[in-house]
Amino acid sequence: MGLPPELLQFAENFYRRFPEEFVALGAPGLEEAFDLRVDGTRSRRILETPQEKTVEITIRRWPMAMAWQAPPAPPAWTMPMQHWGG
């Protein structure tokens, strides 16, 4: 399934702003270690106030009996850490 063209700018912005989170949540095989079913244990919360916006995503690992036999291999490439001023 490809990304609809009208969402490409959103994906590019998300990757540029939060590259580690983009890679962590989009990793191939994530559903083998975590319950990502629509009606499963995953949850999300978005809270916006005049001062900030909080986006929280929680994904729970499968119980050990259901877990994939071996942990997923790290990506063949590594992303350089970006340090933002602050």
Side-chain angles (χ1 to χ4, degrees):
M1 175 169 96
L3 187 65
E6 61 271 14
L7 294 180
L8 185 57
Q9 185 65 50
F10 288 83
E12 289 173 351
N13 287 342
F14 184 53
Y15 176 73
R16 182 173 39 82
R17 294 170 182 158
F18 305 101
E20 292 177 34
E21 290 79 359
F22 183 86
V23 170
L25 292 172
L30 195 66
E31 59 279 338
E32 298 198 18
F34 294 91
D35 179 4
L36 301 181
R37 297 171 299 160
V38 172
D39 61 344
T41 60
R42 69 183 189 178
S43 66
R44 63 179 173 83
R45 181 175 66 105
I46 300 173
L47 176 64
E48 189 163 357
T49 70
Q51 296 80 26
E52 65 187 16
K53 180 178 235 178
T54 300
V55 178
E56 178 181 85
I57 297 171
T58 302
I59 55 176
R60 288 179 172 62
R61 291 186 187 279
W62 288 108
M64 290 307 288
M66 296 177 64
W68 190 39
Q69 298 300 318
W77 53 273
T78 57
M79 182 181 309
M81 294 293 293
Q82 294 185 4
H83 298 283
W84 305 99

